[in-house]
Amino acid sequence: MKKEKNILEQTGNRNPFVVPDGYFENFATNIDNSIFEQPKLTKRIFMPWMYLAAMFVGIFLIGNLIYYVHFQKTNDVNEFSDLYEMYVTSQIDQSVMYDYYVSDDLKDLE
Amino acid sequence: MSNKKEETEIIQGLSNPSTQAKAFSACVRMYQERLYWHIRKMVLSHEDANDVLQNTFMKAWNGINNFRGDSQILTWLYKIATNETMTFLANKRLRNLSGIEEVENLLLNQLRSDEYFSGAEAEMKLQEAILTLPEKQRLVFNMKYFDNITYEQMEEILNTSVGALKASYHHATKKIEKFLTDS
């Protein structure tokens, strides 16, 4: 136990690290340059024009959404009538057409 | 000017927007060395310590309005520096997940080739022993052993009770002594 204690005491608590010459002077100057040149982040975040820009973006997105929903609805109706016509046309062949016209002619004769 | 008087002036300067930048500049000059060594003992390389210290002061500047003046500036800065250091080490560990070497070995190899390490063989051995400790224990050991920070101050910085800190330091010392005896 005594021996173990001595080991740490012998090593001592001297700081074994060093820095390049003039490091701390340069570091402080660099930080000065950063803080004096740049406005603070908090100030930049809460600029009033950003609220205005966000409002316009919001209006644009909502407008887009309304337009899209409305356009989609109109398109759906048109698409449905197109599909119905195609279905009816597909069910008609030449014999049906012939029967239709002949029956009309017969009615005229009567 | 005494440190206490200078600190009071800095706190007053920081609370006024027109003198904030100047006061912060004085604050950097006053505490940069202590914070640098605190960070350096954890990340070991000078370049990494420089990056973390820069981040620390930029975070402090951007959050200057969060400093309420009821605690010491140094304690507040120590907290930011400790968080930044831990984040840096966690990121390093994450980046190295797929690597063969553990981060501790990586740090040790970096230190062996570091031109800004002036320690003797025994001091290198001590650093090797410190690297075997878990990160939090390493932090407590460095703060107590090298910087002689009181447990009460550490309690405020690390948000850990004095009892737990004492136990942590005791275990760390035992492990280091064993490592040095065995090797």
Side-chain angles (χ1 to χ4, degrees), chain B residues 1 7 19 40 47 74 78-79 81 83 111 131 150 152:
Chain B
M1 203 186 320
E7 191 177 328
T19 55
R40 178 80 188 270
E47 279 73 25
L74 185 59
Y78 255 119
K79 271 187 194 178
N83 281 343
L111 185 66
L131 275 172
T150 62
E152 287 70 26

Side-chain angles (χ1 to χ4, degrees), chain B:
Chain B
M1 203 186 320
S2 71
N3 266 10
K4 195 80 197 157
K5 198 180 167 198
E6 204 171 340
E7 191 177 328
T8 315
E9 276 182 18
I10 289 174
I11 291 174
Q12 281 170 353
L14 289 177
S15 59
N16 183 352
S18 62
T19 55
Q20 217 168 39
K22 208 173 160 224
F24 189 77
S25 173
C27 175
V28 171
R29 279 172 174 77
M30 194 168 173
Y31 298 119
Q32 58 176 349
E33 276 200 52
R34 288 186 71 171
L35 294 174
Y36 173 85
W37 295 123
H38 172 65
I39 297 164
R40 178 80 188 270
K41 281 175 203 117
M42 287 301 288
V43 301
L44 302 184
S45 113
H46 166 69
E47 279 73 25
D48 292 344
N50 179 48
D51 288 347
V52 176
L53 186 64
Q54 270 184 27
N55 290 346
T56 299
F57 279 118
M58 291 322 289
K59 279 257 167 81
W61 172 244
N62 287 325
I64 198 78
N65 297 325
N66 299 334
F67 176 66
R68 290 190 296 274
D70 48 1
S71 66
Q72 278 191 326
I73 304 178
L74 185 59
T75 307
W76 177 63
L77 289 173
Y78 255 119
K79 271 187 194 178
I80 302 173
T82 305
N83 281 343
E84 284 300 306
T85 307
M86 291 314 215
T87 308
F88 173 85
L89 289 172
N91 286 341
K92 197 163 184 133
R93 208 173 288 280
L94 216 63
R95 279 200 303 271
N96 201 51
L97 265 184
S98 54
I100 307 160
E101 270 190 306
E102 277 194 26
V103 169
E104 283 69 26
N105 286 340
L106 216 72
L107 291 174
L108 193 66
N109 288 335
Q110 257 183 348
L111 185 66
R112 281 188 181 130
S113 57
D114 194 345
E115 56 176 318
Y116 299 116
F117 182 80
S118 69
E121 185 60 35
E123 284 162 330
M124 180 61 90
K125 207 89 210 152
L126 176 60
Q127 288 301 318
E128 209 178 318
I130 295 170
L131 275 172
T132 61
L133 303 174
E135 255 158 33
K136 189 80 187 280
Q137 224 172 56
R138 200 144 68 88
L139 198 62
V140 174
F141 181 82
N142 283 336
M143 287 170 94
K144 187 74 193 151
Y145 187 75
F146 290 107
D147 302 335
N148 218 9
I149 297 176
T150 62
Y151 286 119
E152 287 70 26
Q153 252 185 308
M154 266 200 256
E155 183 183 30
E156 237 188 296
I157 296 164
L158 304 175
N159 280 333
T160 311
S161 71
V162 171
L165 289 168
K166 278 182 182 170
S168 184
Y169 182 69
H170 176 76
H171 289 306
T173 314
K174 288 280 147 240
K175 275 188 216 169
I176 288 170
E177 281 167 354
K178 189 173 183 317
F179 182 94
L180 292 176
T181 316
D182 292 349
S183 61

